[in-house]
Amino acid sequence: AQSVTQLDSQVPVFEEAPVELRCNYSSSVSVYLFWYVQYPNQGLQLLLKYLSGSTLVKGINGFEAEFNKSQTSFHLRKPSVHISDTAEYFCAVTKTGTASKLTFGTGTRLQVTL
Amino acid sequence: DVKVTQSSRYLVKRTGEKVFLECVQDMDHENMFWYRQDPGLGLRLIYFSYDVKMKEKGDIPEGYSVSREKKERFSLILESASTNQTSMYLCASSFVHRNYGYTFGSGTRLTVV
């Protein structure tokens, strides 16, 4: 089975500052990794995914993440955040191959202020 | 625009009532999922279905059942609602053979009083 740890439950940051949201996973098999964003009172929206190939993955809204197999991490970064990035962010993992159920982390609340 | 539609955004039900949460997708996805979301616990899988009339238990199936009579529709049933089932319920769908990730509905916030 796979598991995901998001160490930071909340991350406060000023507008235009850089941000990193941390995600570590555990698995005995190869994995696919995902980041989702949830704006208030909405469902989850896919930000980016790592399936194979380049370990640096670019997503929507200027976000990117880097897959690090040796450190079993998939941290999410943005060089300059905006007020509109305030949301909850979820990291998720599944085993490779045929699409199966995702296991989610507990989420990180990103709070951007002026 | 492709989507997953959950029939209700907000529901208030009484303890002991039978509750139906409906989810419909128009993307011809094989997989469908029901999660519940609680603060500090993230998303926990209740049930999922990989084909019509097929279902598998997730991590927290107790007190819930599901029905999938048609490919596009996946229903979550609370047989006898209890206050500890007050939560946000999220439906999602995906392809089996293409790992594009899930598409989520907007969620149903259920309050059991």
Side-chain angles (χ1 to χ4, degrees):
Chain A
Q2 293 74 45
S3 67
V4 175
T5 301
Q6 292 182 248
L7 289 169
D8 305 304
S9 59
Q10 294 189 68
V11 173
V13 64
F14 290 111
E15 191 174 27
E16 297 184 4
V19 69
E20 178 179 85
L21 305 183
R22 297 181 293 168
C23 172
N24 287 90
Y25 70 92
S26 174
S27 177
S28 58
V29 299
S30 297
V31 296
Y32 297 145
L33 292 153
F34 302 81
W35 274 100
Y36 285 84
V37 59
Q38 184 180 34
Y39 299 105
N41 298 315
Q42 294 187 26
L44 276 68
Q45 178 184 357
L46 181 66
L47 262 183
L48 49 79
K49 60 182 181 288
Y50 171 78
L51 302 182
S52 65
S54 173
T55 57
L56 183 63
V57 179
K58 294 189 183 299
I60 61 172
N61 300 340
F63 283 93
E64 63 181 33
E66 185 155 21
F67 172 58
N68 188 318
K69 189 175 181 179
S70 62
Q71 297 188 8
T72 61
S73 68
F74 190 55
H75 300 331
L76 182 70
R77 302 186 185 99
K78 187 170 182 178
S80 176
V81 296
H82 190 267
I83 288 283
S84 60
D85 292 322
T86 294
E88 186 124 27
Y89 292 79
F90 291 93
C91 183
V93 64
T94 186
K95 60 183 180 181
T96 58
T98 301
S100 60
K101 55 183 180 175
L102 286 175
T103 299
F104 288 85
T106 52
T108 298
R109 170 80 177 163
L110 176 64
Q111 182 68 51
V112 182
T113 55
L114 294 172
Chain B
D1 192 19
V2 294
K3 59 176 57 176
V4 176
T5 303
Q6 295 185 230
S7 54
S8 304
R9 291 299 306 275
Y10 300 95
L11 274 180
V12 180
K13 297 292 182 181
R14 295 193 180 277
T15 301
E17 276 192 76
K18 191 169 186 176
V19 181
F20 293 85
L21 303 184
E22 306 288 344
C23 176
V24 177
Q25 52 96 1
D26 64 0
M27 294 165 286
D28 203 34
H29 284 167
E30 298 92 353
N31 291 337
M32 295 189 75
F33 308 84
W34 276 107
Y35 285 86
R36 67 176 279 177
Q37 181 182 12
D38 300 289
L41 298 177
L43 278 72
R44 294 179 292 166
L45 181 64
I46 305 171
Y47 267 98
F48 67 102
S49 168
Y50 50 89
D51 200 353
V52 175
K53 297 191 185 294
M54 306 301 289
K55 61 185 179 183
E56 285 197 25
K57 293 180 180 179
D59 301 317
I60 52 165
E62 296 78 18
Y64 303 94
S65 63
V66 290
S67 172
R68 192 163 181 203
E69 297 296 320
K70 293 185 178 181
K71 188 176 185 179
E72 67 270 19
R73 186 180 296 271
F74 192 36
S75 303
L76 180 69
I77 303 156
L78 285 65
E79 298 291 344
S80 177
S82 64
T83 55
N84 63 13
Q85 293 179 308
T86 292
S87 186
M88 169 70 89
Y89 290 87
L90 291 166
C91 176
S93 67
S94 74
F95 288 114
V96 168
H97 296 292
R98 284 171 276 173
N99 220 323
Y100 297 156
Y102 291 2
T103 301
F104 279 87
S106 298
T108 296
R109 186 166 294 281
L110 173 68
T111 302
V112 183
V113 297

